[in-house]
Amino acid sequence: MLGDPRTTRITGDATAAVYRRTEDVGAEQDPGRHRDGPVAEAYCWSNLTSGNASRALWLLLLPFMVVNLAHWMRPTARSAGNAVRLYGAVVRLIALSLTVLLTAAACEVALDLAAWQCAGAAECVARHSWLGFLSPEQGGWWSQPGRRLALATLVPTALVALLWYLSNRTWSAYESQRPLDSETPDDDPAPAAGHAPPPPAVRPALGRPGFWYGRRLVARLRAAHTAAGLLTVAAAVWGAAARYDGTTGSAVPALYGRLLGAALVLCGTTVVTVVCRRGRSERRLDNRVDRAVTTFLPPAALVLLLAAVVHAAWSRPGWTSTGSSLPGEALFAALTLGQGILVVVLAAVALGLYTRAPEARTTLRGLGGPAVAMLACALGGVMTGGVAQRVADWLDGPGTPGMGDGPWIEGPPVLLSWQAAVIPVLLLLLLAPLTWLVVRTVRRVRRMEPAIEAEYGAERPDAARTRQIARVRAAAALTDSAPRIVGLVSGATLFLGAGALVGAWTAGEVPGLAVHGAGPFVESLADAAQATGSWMIGFGFILFVTWGRRAYRDVSARRTIGILWDVGTFWPRAAHPFAPPCYAERAVPDLSSRMCAWTGQTGGRLVISGHSQGSVLAAAAVWQLPDTARHQVALLTYGSPIERLYGRWFPAYFGPAPLAGLHRSVHCWRNLWRATDPIGGPVRIEEADGRPEVDRGPLKDPLVYGRTLEHPLPEPVLGHSDYQADPVFAVERAALLERLGPVLPRQAAGKAQGSTGRSSG
């Protein structure tokens, strides 16, 4: 970033810091030496997303991250009314269902498949000797089914405890940085004589003092989700014992079981109430914590879990493990149905918001959030179903769980097999739109070729070179087709999931058995779909684990996964507290504090430049500045997804109105983009109030069409990279500094340098 191997850290730590070239460290003490050019600083934040090896495990939290994104994809609303609050509450409920789904999958594996089904079958225990001490054949203390279940609760309980620990630890490391106490417009000092007054303050959501400090909400949600996980485990082990007690004359007091069940319902209702409450206080820094919730809710759930363990471990000599111990079919069906209903409600709310304040470039007419929430549910289903299917295959040896040929165990709930069977159908449905995209791209390449040759004025056109440039441009344009694909996948997932739920309910058997007698062709199709889907759902989970393992050992792979998190973890954890941490809650206060401190101490002018995701961080940091400091800042963005991605998918925060407000609030802004860039694009802010247009582009890429005397070797097509190598970059930066000049005169000797440039990651 600085173009010099000799760098010195100015401020920050090993995780994120500001650097300068070593020769520029004392620029403020020697302004005359640096009067002719800007002094560059680099803010490096890459360790926040791709630092140590433990971050590879974040890949397993992908569904939580995706549903958290859905919270921020709300359409633009004219006011924070009931519809906005309902949108947030529904997303938080979907997020809560994902926590319950993950915990239920762990219960299915540990309690049902291992402790109940396999440990209760002598043949399965013989194959898996590590379960021998649980076998009824040995007659030990643990041989009773309830005690086996009580012991197996350690696995899902440990999972919930791990999620709580990671959420608490990452909050301390990433999101505990307090933003600046921003000034209000009334507090700004009067402008000096001869200076133009600063423009009116424009404070969109990202500029509010408390936006990047969500301690109160994260703490509340962490307590609620932790309690929900523990209650899921408690309900699973209590339900198995209660079912036995209700059908036989058990020695366990019936009142104890009823009181425990009522307490579980009461605590679960409290969890839902806590999740539905509003928690973010963006208009001010809210450092409070809901002590009653965070202090008493998780311990209360833990006490109920211990009571459920005692209830299940009570001696029941006549209890034998046959069939399935858990109401897994009903539990997974209820979760699937509930998630589908919540997604439909969310879509209705989002569509209503969009109808009241439509914006042409909003993704899927405001349905981007519901579509992404549906994908989060699908990812959660794939991961949890994959675990259950693979563990069942491993425990059952040569048999296929659910098909009646398993010699030892019955296998996981039937619904999981139906959900797996619809995956090949979903992929077949995607063939048509993907084929259409390929055909359209090929046609676009052919249409572009004459225009490219005319653009470069090629005297001797090279067909291969022309086709290369056209292919890169056409491939970059595919980014704008992503919303349609996401909408199609989400809609198909919703309807196919509903079909799988109906099939599992009506048939009560896996697809391969449900169509028995319908004819050889239909039977073969059902068997193929079930087998292929089961293999694919298992392969998907194995792929997640493999990527995580590779990223744990390989720094380059870990950096690639870190890039994938750049968008997902930019947003605060407002829906799911177990999502990967928000690096922007550390990076934005870092950047804004540095800019505010430097401009306040020196009175100097400043150009903050950002590439790609760095441009989004730069904009967020500028929004956080007091008005006087923002008036001393020019913004230079390049390869920026700030409108192409964020403006379309997150219109309430990066839509036309917030971006136009940012343009008015800073002294000047310039955005560079290329047609070959699949990520960056124009900001689409037109000239207004005498201010020049923000965008400059598309920049020529490659700079030279063919070989020349000045360029004897072929010039590469840069796409999203190396904007600073383009001569236009230096020209535009110099123009921004020049436009800052008339407002802020050069500093006198003994003060700070005349200008500074800054690049953010």
Side-chain angles (χ1 to χ4, degrees), residues 461-478:
D462 183 347
R465 179 65 163 173
T466 302
R467 192 174 301 111
Q468 178 197 19
I469 299 173
R471 284 175 178 171
V472 175
R473 291 186 182 182
L478 288 176

Side-chain angles (χ1 to χ4, degrees), residues 523-547:
E523 290 180 0
S524 62
L525 283 180
D527 289 339
Q530 179 181 333
T532 305
S534 178
W535 177 84
M536 295 181 70
I537 200 172
F539 176 76
F541 176 75
I542 293 173
L543 195 62
F544 274 116
V545 175
T546 303
W547 281 354

Side-chain angles (χ1 to χ4, degrees), residues 126-334:
R127 182 180 176 89
H128 304 284
S129 58
W130 53 277
L131 292 173
F133 73 103
L134 300 176
S135 173
E137 302 295 327
Q138 298 197 11
W141 192 87
W142 294 106
S143 62
Q144 290 192 18
R147 293 169 181 174
R148 298 203 303 264
L149 294 177
L151 180 63
T153 57
L154 292 175
V155 175
T157 303
L159 174 63
V160 175
L162 176 63
L163 292 175
W164 175 89
Y165 169 75
L166 290 176
S167 177
N168 187 63
R169 180 175 179 270
T170 53
W171 161 259
S172 301
Y174 287 78
E175 300 159 298
S176 58
Q177 303 296 316
R178 285 175 58 91
L180 292 173
D181 292 321
S182 301
E183 305 171 30
T184 61
D186 296 337
D187 296 331
D188 288 340
H195 287 232
V202 178
R203 291 287 181 184
L206 272 71
R208 296 168 185 163
F211 187 89
W212 300 108
Y213 193 69
R215 176 184 181 185
R216 185 180 184 187
L217 178 61
V218 173
R220 179 190 296 170
L221 289 180
R222 180 167 58 239
H225 281 247
T226 302
L230 296 175
L231 290 175
T232 302
V233 183
V237 68
W238 168 82
R243 280 200 305 167
Y244 174 79
D245 293 341
T247 56
T248 62
S250 174
V252 181
L255 180 61
Y256 180 76
R258 294 193 188 98
L259 290 176
L260 180 56
L264 290 173
V265 172
L266 178 61
C267 194
T269 304
T270 304
V271 167
V272 173
T273 303
V274 169
V275 168
C276 290
R277 287 180 57 197
R278 296 185 66 192
R280 289 184 60 83
S281 301
E282 297 173 358
R283 297 188 181 278
R284 59 186 177 84
L285 281 175
D286 190 352
N287 201 34
R288 297 175 298 165
V289 176
D290 298 328
R291 299 292 180 187
V293 172
T294 58
T295 303
F296 297 109
L297 190 56
L302 182 60
V303 169
L304 290 178
L305 174 58
L306 294 176
V309 167
V310 172
H311 177 252
W314 210 300
S315 180
R316 298 175 176 86
W319 194 7
T320 59
S321 55
T322 57
S324 176
S325 73
L326 309 178
E329 198 68 50
L331 176 60
F332 284 102

Side-chain angles (χ1 to χ4, degrees), residues 361 472-473 475-480 563-564 566-567 611-616 638-649 671-683 718-721 723:
R361 286 183 57 80
V472 175
R473 291 186 182 182
L478 288 176
T479 302
D480 299 322
I563 294 173
L564 297 177
D566 281 357
V567 174
H611 171 246
S612 191
Q613 187 66 17
S615 67
V616 183
Y638 42 99
S640 174
I642 199 169
E643 194 282 335
R644 190 180 189 183
L645 173 62
Y646 283 84
R648 298 184 66 190
W649 288 92
N671 178 67
L672 312 179
W673 65 282
R674 298 178 178 134
T676 55
D677 190 340
I679 298 175
V683 177
L718 298 177
H720 187 59
S721 61
Y723 273 84

